[in-house]
Amino acid sequence: QSALTQPPSASGSPGQSVTISCTGTSSDVGGYNYVSWYQQHPGKAPKVMVYEVSKRSSGVPDRFSGSKSGNTASLTVSGLQAEDEADYYCFSFAGSNNWVFGGGTKLTVL
Amino acid sequence: QLVESGGGLVQPGGSLRLSCAASGFTFSTSWMSWVRQAPGKGLEWVANIKQDGSEKYYVDSVKGRFTISRDNAKNSLYLQMNSLRAEDTAVYYCANIVWGAFHIWGQGTMVTVPS
């Protein structure tokens, strides 16, 4: 049950786009479409942004989009806004009733 | 919503039982989970339980020490934690699972096991 690999940090200026990657294996990200993304502000509970690879959760702005290619899933945030600054985590089914998170990416809006 | 309780300070080797009270959604038809986050660290999935409690799954690091359970009549989820270790120190969140994702989260309860 190894954690999925995410870059520790990402950044962009307001209005720009940024993409956060989440790399796993064919046993998790590559093997199933149960990939979700979570936003967590300091001291708060996580919030689901995208589930089943690319479906936006209710109320999530369409600036947030998810995709997957092979063993790597991605979360793209377009038109960056100050309130997007947070930690982001990917999460995937890993088979055999196991589930695994990515290590997390701190997104900074410059 | 989900509201956790039962966290606190416990000595290594001790036990603690966390509770999670659900409201505002149909608890009895939802898979439920516990997720934890060590101080300054990332999220870690801990355990899942099926709607009727007939299936339970755990991360390897807690197998044999933690037990997830539920009482649908009370709309409540539980996590019995035994043989606690310093590395179990974390905020513990309960969450429901829909389409393989955690859609509703509690505010978390802190468990501290000193080293």
Side-chain angles (χ1 to χ4, degrees):
Chain A
Q1 292 168 325
S2 299
L4 307 174
T5 301
Q6 296 182 234
S9 62
S11 63
S13 299
Q16 288 187 331
S17 293
V18 64
T19 297
I20 299 171
S21 62
C22 170
T23 302
T25 69
S26 58
S27 297
D28 39 60
V29 173
Y32 307 94
N33 285 327
Y34 285 127
V35 178
S36 50
W37 288 90
Y38 302 84
Q39 178 191 65
Q40 186 180 34
H41 287 108
K44 301 294 187 181
K47 170 187 175 183
V48 63
M49 306 302 281
V50 168
Y51 64 99
E52 288 188 312
V53 177
S54 59
K55 297 178 180 178
R56 261 187 308 277
S57 184
S58 176
V60 173
D62 60 6
R63 302 184 293 103
F64 291 84
S65 62
S67 62
K68 188 180 81 168
S69 178
N71 297 335
T72 298
S74 299
L75 176 72
T76 297
V77 187
S78 305
L80 270 174
Q81 298 183 5
E83 59 262 34
D84 298 335
E85 185 162 297
D87 293 327
Y88 290 84
Y89 295 91
C90 61
F91 180 69
S92 174
F93 181 60
S96 301
N97 297 300
N98 288 317
W99 299 80
V100 63
F101 278 99
T105 298
K106 182 177 181 60
L107 175 61
T108 300
V109 180
L110 301 170
Chain B
Q1 68 172 21
L2 296 167
V3 179
E4 302 93 339
S5 61
L9 175 66
V10 59
Q11 293 301 310
S15 298
L16 210 56
R17 189 195 194 207
L18 305 184
S19 299
C20 171
S23 62
F25 68 99
T26 309
F27 178 78
S28 60
T29 63
S30 292
W31 276 82
M32 296 295 298
S33 279
W34 288 97
V35 175
R36 67 184 179 183
Q37 186 170 34
K41 302 296 184 182
L43 300 169
E44 181 183 36
W45 167 73
V46 174
N48 282 355
I49 186 168
K50 193 177 179 180
Q51 293 93 331
D52 62 358
S54 61
E55 296 180 34
K56 305 175 184 181
Y57 305 103
Y58 303 90
V59 68
D60 285 347
S61 60
V62 308
K63 284 179 181 176
R65 300 188 300 121
F66 289 13
T67 302
I68 188 172
S69 63
R70 65 192 297 162
D71 184 337
N72 288 340
K74 295 182 178 180
N75 285 345
S76 292
L77 177 73
Y78 307 101
L79 186 66
Q80 177 66 44
M81 303 185 295
N82 298 330
S83 302
L84 282 161
R85 307 166 180 167
E87 53 264 37
D88 296 318
T89 294
V91 174
Y92 284 74
Y93 297 99
C94 63
N96 77 331
I97 306 167
V98 181
W99 304 299
F102 304 117
H103 288 261
I104 303 174
W105 294 71
Q107 84 289 351
T109 187
M110 183 71 201
V111 173
T112 302
V113 186
S115 55

